[in-house]
Amino acid sequence: MTASTVGMRGSVPPMPARTPKALRAAIAQHTPKLLPDFDRNWREKIADTYDLAPVPAFMARWWAEFALVRDPRLEAEVHRLEDEASGATDNAHARSLVEEAGRLRREASKAEPGQ
């Protein structure tokens, strides 16, 4: 995301520091609907295993999820594309819709702390 894109997004909350604790706090404050799944996934993948090896993958997944959901317009556009793809009868069209939704998700996940 460029600085101009961030400025145009208005009330979209900034990305937190890239730590599990900061990400959880941002989810709790700005996208509380994600918190039960975040906490459940943390317990399943990290806390109950006593193994820190999965932390980078956990953070990548939830970083991307928060980056998308914190912006209701972007989230709605991604879901619209996915819904349209699920109902498409033309495989090429469905594929292009899914690819665009994926591109938007990947772009959102590139957000840096503070953006």
Side-chain angles (χ1 to χ4, degrees), residues 7-20:
M8 293 183 341
R9 298 173 79 204
S11 64
V12 174
M15 293 300 289
R18 210 179 277 266
T19 66

Side-chain angles (χ1 to χ4, degrees), residues 2-78:
T2 65
S4 62
T5 303
V6 173
M8 293 183 341
R9 298 173 79 204
S11 64
V12 174
M15 293 300 289
R18 210 179 277 266
T19 66
K21 185 176 182 178
L23 182 56
R24 187 188 185 285
I27 288 171
Q29 181 178 1
H30 302 293
T31 57
K33 68 182 182 180
L34 293 180
L35 195 56
D37 287 339
F38 178 92
D39 286 343
R40 181 184 41 70
N41 195 240
W42 176 263
R43 283 189 308 275
E44 290 172 357
K45 303 294 186 202
I46 312 298
D48 290 345
T49 67
Y50 299 98
D51 181 6
L52 296 180
V55 170
F58 176 89
M59 283 298 295
R61 178 205 170 191
W62 284 99
W63 188 263
E65 188 70 18
F66 178 68
L68 177 67
V69 175
R70 71 188 176 125
D71 184 340
R73 290 180 302 179
L74 180 60
E75 180 186 27
E77 177 62 9
V78 167

Side-chain angles (χ1 to χ4, degrees), residues 80-90 93-98:
R80 183 194 67 75
L81 290 165
E82 292 168 342
D83 290 345
E84 188 177 337
S86 72
T89 56
D90 174 20
H93 181 61
R95 184 175 35 250
S96 71
L97 293 167
V98 169

